[in-house]
Amino acid sequence: FLPDSVDNVRLIIDVNTIAGRSGMAIRNLRLKTEAGEEGGAAEEGESGPGAAAMGFTVAGPYLNLKSFLADLTKSLRLVDVASLSIAAGEAGYTYSFEVKTYWLK
């Protein structure tokens, strides 16, 4: 079930597509693979799962957040929500996410 590489571009596209279906778009994107590795490709002789963290924000009403989270749980990519913070502003709510995804080394 786990891919053999992170494929950061595909991860961003997948999450942005899910957000788009909920009427939101990701902003302030931050990517980091486990132990600061770049690319996330397996090295010779390594095995087991690797992890990559991604941070981003989305903005919109609470019902859109619920829809986004429901779609994220149904995604074929294994994604754990590590943290979620909510900030209220004049233009509505802003949600800051930290998520983790996994691959096989």
Side-chain angles (χ1 to χ4, degrees):
F1 290 97
L2 294 177
D4 59 1
S5 68
V6 174
D7 193 2
N8 292 332
V9 174
R10 176 49 71 200
L11 174 62
I12 295 166
I13 291 170
D14 289 347
V15 172
N16 197 46
T17 300
I18 292 168
R21 285 194 303 251
S22 301
M24 300 185 287
I26 61 173
R27 290 182 255 160
N28 304 326
L29 182 66
R30 302 168 308 281
L31 290 171
K32 182 181 176 191
T33 55
E34 188 176 73
E37 298 170 5
E38 291 298 324
E43 293 189 22
E44 194 68 34
E46 286 190 52
S47 63
M54 181 169 88
F56 58 92
T57 60
V58 293
Y62 179 71
L63 291 177
N64 289 22
L65 173 68
K66 285 178 57 175
S67 175
F68 173 69
L69 288 172
D71 288 348
L72 193 62
T73 62
K74 296 174 189 169
S75 172
L76 293 179
R77 183 181 295 270
L78 180 60
V79 177
D80 289 334
V81 176
S83 72
L84 168 63
S85 63
I86 302 170
E90 292 179 14
Y93 294 104
T94 300
Y95 311 98
S96 297
F97 282 89
E98 291 289 332
V99 299
K100 286 182 92 175
T101 189
Y102 306 93
W103 80 94
L104 287 178
K105 292 182 180 178

